[in-house]
Amino acid sequence: MRERGGRTTVDERYTQWKSLVPVLYDWLANHNLVWPSLSCRWGPQLEQATYKNRQRLYLSEQTDGSVPNTLVIANCEVVKPRVAAAEHISQFNEEARSPFVKKYKTIIHPGEVNRIRELPQNSKIVATHTDSPDVLIWDVEAQPNRHAVLGAAESRPDLILTGHQENAEFALAMCPTEPFVLSGGKDKSVVLWSIQDHISSIMDSASKSPGSPGSSGSKAAAKSGNEKSSDSPTIGPRGVYHGHEDTVEDVQFCPSSPQEFCSVGDDSCLILWDARVGTSPVVKVEKAHSADLHCVDWNPHDDNLILTGSADNSVRMFDRRNLTTDGVGSPIFKFEGHKAAVLCVQWSPDKTSVFGSAAEDGFLNVWDHEKVGKKKEHVGTRMPNSPPGLFFQHAGHRDKVVDFHWNSSDPWTIVSVSDDGESTGGGGTLQIWRMSDLIYRPEEEVIAELEKFKSHLTTCAPKT
């Protein structure tokens, strides 16, 4: 992307994308970030109104040390479908903050915020990964609002999850069905906790020795050098799972079972686990990709389908009923549309076969695996030479897209964030967007609507 022509190529691509915004998008908000955010997540919906809904948004600020790192709780106005005027969504300033995103609360985070995940059973409870072995749990509504100035005391986590022997920075997941948390780290292990154990530990802490699983203590905070949070309660793991031979980069629960989960790592392996049968892998897929694996997601509508993204620039889809051939990974599909390492993959909550992938090439691609192999792909496919399955390419970011999240409250709405350090000298870009429904709706419906619109225009035309 930048090898030849450098900055010009990126700028030309971006200018071309911006000119197409009124055609491609139903709504788009662009929000300039002073500091990069490595993670972005939707929180609970707060209010529904006639033309827009208000919803919490979780972000972070990855600073240079001149001010503290923070976990940011923002309020976001999400404009409803077919409300925004085309000229309105195309008129934004890249260097400005969006009026649709307003900071609501700041938590001063002990260390950088690498990953944020919300608890599905209560999305006001958030887990964060930082540059330590511990997972920090926050009740974001109960936490006091803090002013992030140099020297300010760190906020106190509501709970600390201990169990990793080395730093655990990126692999983090929350279970859809139980208050379970899953993590992976540099110690090559996958660790499972139940937040419920914290409640149990309060009731019987007198009968448990400090530091044992389920006990309430403060060893972990001291171990990670976070003395200001040392009075936070801690719990140990339900299980520690060994099978990877390098850093675990991402983890995910099976949508239908809190006891089943998967993990990927820098050893190029995808591993499936089952807590009911022990701490060894149930299936280990060797060479799932030809390079490090960065991300994994399990289909919420069909728990046989698992997506992986890798430093080999590809996304692969596996069927857990047939994961390997002769011990080597045997994906059903390979999606090859990125030109750099894939950092994040996520299935759509709205349509079983649709998913997104974000990469270091600055693109967020939206795919539909049902379109692969069909001679006549969807009307929304941009170019005749598009990779199979690719039907939308979000090109609004000018540097690596480090995270994105589908909005389960507002169908087809995505928040994405890029770390713009390399291209602009710092900061980041947050974008909230929804592609035009003419792109993803069934072709017959779209054609019928356009015909109706055409006949309407004909009747409105002045008679000569």
Side-chain angles (χ1 to χ4, degrees), residues 46 54-59 71-76 101-107 124 140-146:
L46 305 172
R54 197 156 55 90
Q55 191 168 350
R56 289 271 195 265
L57 194 59
Y58 303 135
L59 306 164
L71 172 62
V72 175
I73 296 90
N75 286 338
C76 179
V101 181
K102 296 215 164 51
K103 194 180 280 190
Y104 167 73
K105 185 184 282 188
T106 302
I107 292 167
K124 296 172 184 176
V140 294
E141 295 302 317
Q143 281 285 333
N145 188 18
R146 304 289 302 282

PDB file of all heavy atoms in Angstrom, residues 46 54-59 71-76 101-107 124 140-146:
ATOM      1  N   LEU A  46     -29.120   3.017  25.487  1.00  0.00           N
ATOM      2  CA  LEU A  46     -29.672   3.814  26.587  1.00  0.00           C
ATOM      3  C   LEU A  46     -31.057   4.368  26.288  1.00  0.00           C
ATOM      4  O   LEU A  46     -31.877   4.508  27.188  1.00  0.00           O
ATOM      5  CB  LEU A  46     -28.722   4.990  26.901  1.00  0.00           C
ATOM      6  CG  LEU A  46     -27.269   4.638  27.214  1.00  0.00           C
ATOM      7  CD1 LEU A  46     -26.441   5.893  27.314  1.00  0.00           C
ATOM      8  CD2 LEU A  46     -27.170   3.823  28.492  1.00  0.00           C
ATOM      9  N   ARG A  54     -29.533   6.335  21.402  1.00  0.00           N
ATOM     10  CA  ARG A  54     -28.332   6.678  22.177  1.00  0.00           C
ATOM     11  C   ARG A  54     -27.789   5.409  22.807  1.00  0.00           C
ATOM     12  O   ARG A  54     -28.540   4.610  23.357  1.00  0.00           O
ATOM     13  CB  ARG A  54     -28.667   7.723  23.244  1.00  0.00           C
ATOM     14  CG  ARG A  54     -27.437   8.440  23.801  1.00  0.00           C
ATOM     15  CD  ARG A  54     -27.824   9.800  24.374  1.00  0.00           C
ATOM     16  NE  ARG A  54     -28.871   9.678  25.363  1.00  0.00           N
ATOM     17  CZ  ARG A  54     -28.647   9.496  26.675  1.00  0.00           C
ATOM     18  NH1 ARG A  54     -27.412   9.442  27.127  1.00  0.00           N
ATOM     19  NH2 ARG A  54     -29.647   9.412  27.515  1.00  0.00           N
ATOM     20  N   GLN A  55     -26.468   5.246  22.706  1.00  0.00           N
ATOM     21  CA  GLN A  55     -25.851   3.998  23.152  1.00  0.00           C
ATOM     22  C   GLN A  55     -24.470   4.261  23.733  1.00  0.00           C
ATOM     23  O   GLN A  55     -23.775   5.194  23.329  1.00  0.00           O
ATOM     24  CB  GLN A  55     -25.737   3.042  21.951  1.00  0.00           C
ATOM     25  CG  GLN A  55     -25.359   1.629  22.304  1.00  0.00           C
ATOM     26  CD  GLN A  55     -25.564   0.688  21.121  1.00  0.00           C
ATOM     27  OE1 GLN A  55     -26.149   1.061  20.114  1.00  0.00           O
ATOM     28  NE2 GLN A  55     -25.085  -0.538  21.253  1.00  0.00           N
ATOM     29  N   ARG A  56     -24.080   3.463  24.715  1.00  0.00           N
ATOM     30  CA  ARG A  56     -22.724   3.556  25.257  1.00  0.00           C
ATOM     31  C   ARG A  56     -21.716   2.975  24.264  1.00  0.00           C
ATOM     32  O   ARG A  56     -22.017   2.044  23.518  1.00  0.00           O
ATOM     33  CB  ARG A  56     -22.613   2.776  26.564  1.00  0.00           C
ATOM     34  CG  ARG A  56     -23.347   3.411  27.739  1.00  0.00           C
ATOM     35  CD  ARG A  56     -22.472   4.375  28.482  1.00  0.00           C
ATOM     36  NE  ARG A  56     -23.063   4.683  29.780  1.00  0.00           N
ATOM     37  CZ  ARG A  56     -23.834   5.730  30.029  1.00  0.00           C
ATOM     38  NH1 ARG A  56     -24.095   6.604  29.052  1.00  0.00           N
ATOM     39  NH2 ARG A  56     -24.323   5.937  31.216  1.00  0.00           N
ATOM     40  N   LEU A  57     -20.513   3.533  24.323  1.00  0.00           N
ATOM     41  CA  LEU A  57     -19.404   3.079  23.495  1.00  0.00           C
ATOM     42  C   LEU A  57     -18.178   3.022  24.393  1.00  0.00           C
ATOM     43  O   LEU A  57     -17.923   3.961  25.152  1.00  0.00           O
ATOM     44  CB  LEU A  57     -19.201   4.095  22.371  1.00  0.00           C
ATOM     45  CG  LEU A  57     -18.335   3.744  21.175  1.00  0.00           C
ATOM     46  CD1 LEU A  57     -18.865   2.509  20.457  1.00  0.00           C
ATOM     47  CD2 LEU A  57     -18.274   4.914  20.210  1.00  0.00           C
ATOM     48  N   TYR A  58     -17.438   1.922  24.353  1.00  0.00           N
ATOM     49  CA  TYR A  58     -16.229   1.775  25.168  1.00  0.00           C
ATOM     50  C   TYR A  58     -14.996   1.902  24.279  1.00  0.00           C
ATOM     51  O   TYR A  58     -14.869   1.204  23.270  1.00  0.00           O
ATOM     52  CB  TYR A  58     -16.217   0.418  25.878  1.00  0.00           C
ATOM     53  CG  TYR A  58     -17.421   0.165  26.748  1.00  0.00           C
ATOM     54  CD1 TYR A  58     -18.082  -1.061  26.721  1.00  0.00           C
ATOM     55  CD2 TYR A  58     -17.916   1.150  27.611  1.00  0.00           C
ATOM     56  CE1 TYR A  58     -19.189  -1.300  27.529  1.00  0.00           C
ATOM     57  CE2 TYR A  58     -19.024   0.923  28.409  1.00  0.00           C
ATOM     58  CZ  TYR A  58     -19.657  -0.305  28.359  1.00  0.00           C
ATOM     59  OH  TYR A  58     -20.753  -0.541  29.158  1.00  0.00           O
ATOM     60  N   LEU A  59     -14.082   2.787  24.684  1.00  0.00           N
ATOM     61  CA  LEU A  59     -12.837   3.040  23.944  1.00  0.00           C
ATOM     62  C   LEU A  59     -11.694   3.126  24.941  1.00  0.00           C
ATOM     63  O   LEU A  59     -11.904   3.031  26.149  1.00  0.00           O
ATOM     64  CB  LEU A  59     -12.920   4.375  23.187  1.00  0.00           C
ATOM     65  CG  LEU A  59     -14.107   4.574  22.254  1.00  0.00           C
ATOM     66  CD1 LEU A  59     -14.257   6.034  21.913  1.00  0.00           C
ATOM     67  CD2 LEU A  59     -13.884   3.750  21.014  1.00  0.00           C
ATOM     68  N   LEU A  71      -9.480   4.244  30.164  1.00  0.00           N
ATOM     69  CA  LEU A  71     -10.618   3.534  29.593  1.00  0.00           C
ATOM     70  C   LEU A  71     -11.724   4.576  29.494  1.00  0.00           C
ATOM     71  O   LEU A  71     -12.048   5.232  30.486  1.00  0.00           O
ATOM     72  CB  LEU A  71     -11.029   2.381  30.515  1.00  0.00           C
ATOM     73  CG  LEU A  71     -12.311   1.624  30.185  1.00  0.00           C
ATOM     74  CD1 LEU A  71     -12.218   0.939  28.832  1.00  0.00           C
ATOM     75  CD2 LEU A  71     -12.606   0.591  31.280  1.00  0.00           C
ATOM     76  N   VAL A  72     -12.263   4.773  28.288  1.00  0.00           N
ATOM     77  CA  VAL A  72     -13.227   5.852  28.053  1.00  0.00           C
ATOM     78  C   VAL A  72     -14.624   5.276  27.833  1.00  0.00           C
ATOM     79  O   VAL A  72     -14.802   4.348  27.039  1.00  0.00           O
ATOM     80  CB  VAL A  72     -12.816   6.695  26.823  1.00  0.00           C
ATOM     81  CG1 VAL A  72     -13.874   7.737  26.491  1.00  0.00           C
ATOM     82  CG2 VAL A  72     -11.459   7.358  27.066  1.00  0.00           C
ATOM     83  N   ILE A  73     -15.594   5.827  28.562  1.00  0.00           N
ATOM     84  CA  ILE A  73     -16.994   5.481  28.330  1.00  0.00           C
ATOM     85  C   ILE A  73     -17.618   6.690  27.636  1.00  0.00           C
ATOM     86  O   ILE A  73     -17.599   7.801  28.164  1.00  0.00           O
ATOM     87  CB  ILE A  73     -17.725   5.143  29.639  1.00  0.00           C
ATOM     88  CG1 ILE A  73     -17.122   3.883  30.278  1.00  0.00           C
ATOM     89  CG2 ILE A  73     -19.209   4.908  29.400  1.00  0.00           C
ATOM     90  CD1 ILE A  73     -16.010   4.135  31.224  1.00  0.00           C
ATOM     91  N   ALA A  74     -18.122   6.468  26.416  1.00  0.00           N
ATOM     92  CA  ALA A  74     -18.695   7.573  25.643  1.00  0.00           C
ATOM     93  C   ALA A  74     -20.172   7.298  25.375  1.00  0.00           C
ATOM     94  O   ALA A  74     -20.640   6.157  25.452  1.00  0.00           O
ATOM     95  CB  ALA A  74     -17.948   7.713  24.313  1.00  0.00           C
ATOM     96  N   ASN A  75     -20.895   8.362  25.080  1.00  0.00           N
ATOM     97  CA  ASN A  75     -22.270   8.237  24.601  1.00  0.00           C
ATOM     98  C   ASN A  75     -22.265   8.489  23.104  1.00  0.00           C
ATOM     99  O   ASN A  75     -21.654   9.446  22.631  1.00  0.00           O
ATOM    100  CB  ASN A  75     -23.190   9.247  25.294  1.00  0.00           C
ATOM    101  CG  ASN A  75     -23.483   8.847  26.727  1.00  0.00           C
ATOM    102  OD1 ASN A  75     -23.368   7.681  27.078  1.00  0.00           O
ATOM    103  ND2 ASN A  75     -23.848   9.810  27.552  1.00  0.00           N
ATOM    104  N   CYS A  76     -22.960   7.635  22.378  1.00  0.00           N
ATOM    105  CA  CYS A  76     -22.980   7.748  20.928  1.00  0.00           C
ATOM    106  C   CYS A  76     -24.416   7.873  20.434  1.00  0.00           C
ATOM    107  O   CYS A  76     -25.285   7.105  20.850  1.00  0.00           O
ATOM    108  CB  CYS A  76     -22.321   6.517  20.326  1.00  0.00           C
ATOM    109  SG  CYS A  76     -22.320   6.533  18.535  1.00  0.00           S
ATOM    110  N   VAL A 101     -20.427  11.632  18.978  1.00  0.00           N
ATOM    111  CA  VAL A 101     -19.684  10.897  20.010  1.00  0.00           C
ATOM    112  C   VAL A 101     -19.267  11.873  21.111  1.00  0.00           C
ATOM    113  O   VAL A 101     -18.546  12.836  20.847  1.00  0.00           O
ATOM    114  CB  VAL A 101     -18.430  10.217  19.412  1.00  0.00           C
ATOM    115  CG1 VAL A 101     -17.672   9.440  20.484  1.00  0.00           C
ATOM    116  CG2 VAL A 101     -18.818   9.289  18.267  1.00  0.00           C
ATOM    117  N   LYS A 102     -19.731  11.618  22.342  1.00  0.00           N
ATOM    118  CA  LYS A 102     -19.400  12.513  23.461  1.00  0.00           C
ATOM    119  C   LYS A 102     -18.865  11.699  24.635  1.00  0.00           C
ATOM    120  O   LYS A 102     -19.488  10.726  25.059  1.00  0.00           O
ATOM    121  CB  LYS A 102     -20.632  13.301  23.901  1.00  0.00           C
ATOM    122  CG  LYS A 102     -21.156  14.233  22.818  1.00  0.00           C
ATOM    123  CD  LYS A 102     -21.720  15.530  23.408  1.00  0.00           C
ATOM    124  CE  LYS A 102     -21.896  16.621  22.370  1.00  0.00           C
ATOM    125  NZ  LYS A 102     -22.627  16.213  21.172  1.00  0.00           N
ATOM    126  N   LYS A 103     -17.695  12.114  25.142  1.00  0.00           N
ATOM    127  CA  LYS A 103     -17.105  11.418  26.283  1.00  0.00           C
ATOM    128  C   LYS A 103     -18.019  11.582  27.507  1.00  0.00           C
ATOM    129  O   LYS A 103     -18.463  12.686  27.818  1.00  0.00           O
ATOM    130  CB  LYS A 103     -15.720  11.999  26.564  1.00  0.00           C
ATOM    131  CG  LYS A 103     -14.882  11.142  27.495  1.00  0.00           C
ATOM    132  CD  LYS A 103     -13.511  11.756  27.763  1.00  0.00           C
ATOM    133  CE  LYS A 103     -12.535  11.517  26.643  1.00  0.00           C
ATOM    134  NZ  LYS A 103     -11.154  11.916  27.010  1.00  0.00           N
ATOM    135  N   TYR A 104     -18.318  10.463  28.164  1.00  0.00           N
ATOM    136  CA  TYR A 104     -19.215  10.482  29.327  1.00  0.00           C
ATOM    137  C   TYR A 104     -18.435  10.289  30.623  1.00  0.00           C
ATOM    138  O   TYR A 104     -18.699  10.931  31.620  1.00  0.00           O
ATOM    139  CB  TYR A 104     -20.263   9.369  29.154  1.00  0.00           C
ATOM    140  CG  TYR A 104     -21.061   9.050  30.386  1.00  0.00           C
ATOM    141  CD1 TYR A 104     -22.056   9.921  30.853  1.00  0.00           C
ATOM    142  CD2 TYR A 104     -20.842   7.859  31.090  1.00  0.00           C
ATOM    143  CE1 TYR A 104     -22.784   9.613  31.990  1.00  0.00           C
ATOM    144  CE2 TYR A 104     -21.577   7.556  32.223  1.00  0.00           C
ATOM    145  CZ  TYR A 104     -22.549   8.431  32.666  1.00  0.00           C
ATOM    146  OH  TYR A 104     -23.278   8.125  33.806  1.00  0.00           O
ATOM    147  N   LYS A 105     -17.446   9.388  30.583  1.00  0.00           N
ATOM    148  CA  LYS A 105     -16.700   9.088  31.809  1.00  0.00           C
ATOM    149  C   LYS A 105     -15.304   8.597  31.444  1.00  0.00           C
ATOM    150  O   LYS A 105     -15.116   7.940  30.420  1.00  0.00           O
ATOM    151  CB  LYS A 105     -17.429   8.004  32.611  1.00  0.00           C
ATOM    152  CG  LYS A 105     -16.796   7.690  33.960  1.00  0.00           C
ATOM    153  CD  LYS A 105     -17.516   6.549  34.661  1.00  0.00           C
ATOM    154  CE  LYS A 105     -18.823   7.010  35.294  1.00  0.00           C
ATOM    155  NZ  LYS A 105     -19.422   5.941  36.141  1.00  0.00           N
ATOM    156  N   THR A 106     -14.330   8.926  32.299  1.00  0.00           N
ATOM    157  CA  THR A 106     -12.954   8.472  32.105  1.00  0.00           C
ATOM    158  C   THR A 106     -12.505   7.673  33.322  1.00  0.00           C
ATOM    159  O   THR A 106     -12.672   8.120  34.458  1.00  0.00           O
ATOM    160  CB  THR A 106     -12.013   9.684  31.911  1.00  0.00           C
ATOM    161  OG1 THR A 106     -12.457  10.438  30.781  1.00  0.00           O
ATOM    162  CG2 THR A 106     -10.584   9.236  31.662  1.00  0.00           C
ATOM    163  N   ILE A 107     -11.956   6.500  33.069  1.00  0.00           N
ATOM    164  CA  ILE A 107     -11.355   5.673  34.122  1.00  0.00           C
ATOM    165  C   ILE A 107      -9.852   5.680  33.883  1.00  0.00           C
ATOM    166  O   ILE A 107      -9.397   5.396  32.768  1.00  0.00           O
ATOM    167  CB  ILE A 107     -11.924   4.231  34.063  1.00  0.00           C
ATOM    168  CG1 ILE A 107     -13.408   4.237  34.458  1.00  0.00           C
ATOM    169  CG2 ILE A 107     -11.127   3.288  34.949  1.00  0.00           C
ATOM    170  CD1 ILE A 107     -14.143   2.946  34.147  1.00  0.00           C
ATOM    171  N   LYS A 124     -22.613  -3.498  31.337  1.00  0.00           N
ATOM    172  CA  LYS A 124     -21.969  -2.445  32.145  1.00  0.00           C
ATOM    173  C   LYS A 124     -20.707  -2.979  32.824  1.00  0.00           C
ATOM    174  O   LYS A 124     -19.935  -2.220  33.401  1.00  0.00           O
ATOM    175  CB  LYS A 124     -22.940  -1.919  33.201  1.00  0.00           C
ATOM    176  CG  LYS A 124     -24.166  -1.223  32.619  1.00  0.00           C
ATOM    177  CD  LYS A 124     -25.177  -0.902  33.693  1.00  0.00           C
ATOM    178  CE  LYS A 124     -26.445  -0.302  33.064  1.00  0.00           C
ATOM    179  NZ  LYS A 124     -27.491  -0.070  34.082  1.00  0.00           N
ATOM    180  N   VAL A 140     -18.397  -0.178  34.968  1.00  0.00           N
ATOM    181  CA  VAL A 140     -18.147   1.157  34.411  1.00  0.00           C
ATOM    182  C   VAL A 140     -19.165   2.196  34.887  1.00  0.00           C
ATOM    183  O   VAL A 140     -18.869   3.390  34.912  1.00  0.00           O
ATOM    184  CB  VAL A 140     -18.090   1.138  32.864  1.00  0.00           C
ATOM    185  CG1 VAL A 140     -16.890   0.343  32.391  1.00  0.00           C
ATOM    186  CG2 VAL A 140     -19.362   0.600  32.259  1.00  0.00           C
ATOM    187  N   GLU A 141     -20.360   1.756  35.265  1.00  0.00           N
ATOM    188  CA  GLU A 141     -21.354   2.720  35.760  1.00  0.00           C
ATOM    189  C   GLU A 141     -21.031   3.136  37.197  1.00  0.00           C
ATOM    190  O   GLU A 141     -21.231   4.289  37.582  1.00  0.00           O
ATOM    191  CB  GLU A 141     -22.765   2.131  35.669  1.00  0.00           C
ATOM    192  CG  GLU A 141     -23.228   1.863  34.241  1.00  0.00           C
ATOM    193  CD  GLU A 141     -23.215   3.100  33.350  1.00  0.00           C
ATOM    194  OE1 GLU A 141     -23.639   4.187  33.809  1.00  0.00           O
ATOM    195  OE2 GLU A 141     -22.771   2.997  32.195  1.00  0.00           O
ATOM    196  N   ALA A 142     -20.528   2.197  37.989  1.00  0.00           N
ATOM    197  CA  ALA A 142     -20.226   2.502  39.401  1.00  0.00           C
ATOM    198  C   ALA A 142     -18.885   3.221  39.567  1.00  0.00           C
ATOM    199  O   ALA A 142     -18.684   3.943  40.556  1.00  0.00           O
ATOM    200  CB  ALA A 142     -20.226   1.204  40.211  1.00  0.00           C
ATOM    201  N   GLN A 143     -17.964   3.046  38.612  1.00  0.00           N
ATOM    202  CA  GLN A 143     -16.642   3.676  38.721  1.00  0.00           C
ATOM    203  C   GLN A 143     -16.767   5.208  38.706  1.00  0.00           C
ATOM    204  O   GLN A 143     -17.531   5.757  37.911  1.00  0.00           O
ATOM    205  CB  GLN A 143     -15.756   3.248  37.547  1.00  0.00           C
ATOM    206  CG  GLN A 143     -15.144   1.872  37.689  1.00  0.00           C
ATOM    207  CD  GLN A 143     -13.994   1.823  38.671  1.00  0.00           C
ATOM    208  OE1 GLN A 143     -13.301   2.820  38.915  1.00  0.00           O
ATOM    209  NE2 GLN A 143     -13.778   0.658  39.251  1.00  0.00           N
ATOM    210  N   PRO A 144     -16.019   5.899  39.571  1.00  0.00           N
ATOM    211  CA  PRO A 144     -16.059   7.368  39.541  1.00  0.00           C
ATOM    212  C   PRO A 144     -15.410   7.933  38.279  1.00  0.00           C
ATOM    213  O   PRO A 144     -14.482   7.328  37.739  1.00  0.00           O
ATOM    214  CB  PRO A 144     -15.274   7.783  40.790  1.00  0.00           C
ATOM    215  CG  PRO A 144     -14.417   6.604  41.126  1.00  0.00           C
ATOM    216  CD  PRO A 144     -15.145   5.380  40.642  1.00  0.00           C
ATOM    217  N   ASN A 145     -15.915   9.061  37.822  1.00  0.00           N
ATOM    218  CA  ASN A 145     -15.323   9.768  36.678  1.00  0.00           C
ATOM    219  C   ASN A 145     -14.036  10.435  37.140  1.00  0.00           C
ATOM    220  O   ASN A 145     -14.022  11.130  38.154  1.00  0.00           O
ATOM    221  CB  ASN A 145     -16.330  10.814  36.167  1.00  0.00           C
ATOM    222  CG  ASN A 145     -15.867  11.450  34.866  1.00  0.00           C
ATOM    223  OD1 ASN A 145     -15.015  10.918  34.176  1.00  0.00           O
ATOM    224  ND2 ASN A 145     -16.435  12.601  34.539  1.00  0.00           N
ATOM    225  N   ARG A 146     -12.940  10.222  36.400  1.00  0.00           N
ATOM    226  CA  ARG A 146     -11.648  10.748  36.823  1.00  0.00           C
ATOM    227  C   ARG A 146     -11.092  11.709  35.773  1.00  0.00           C
ATOM    228  O   ARG A 146     -11.345  11.552  34.584  1.00  0.00           O
ATOM    229  CB  ARG A 146     -10.655   9.588  37.019  1.00  0.00           C
ATOM    230  CG  ARG A 146     -11.120   8.514  37.988  1.00  0.00           C
ATOM    231  CD  ARG A 146     -11.129   8.988  39.432  1.00  0.00           C
ATOM    232  NE  ARG A 146      -9.811   9.439  39.818  1.00  0.00           N
ATOM    233  CZ  ARG A 146      -8.801   8.613  40.129  1.00  0.00           C
ATOM    234  NH1 ARG A 146      -8.982   7.307  40.096  1.00  0.00           N
ATOM    235  NH2 ARG A 146      -7.630   9.096  40.471  1.00  0.00           N
TER     236      ARG A 146
END
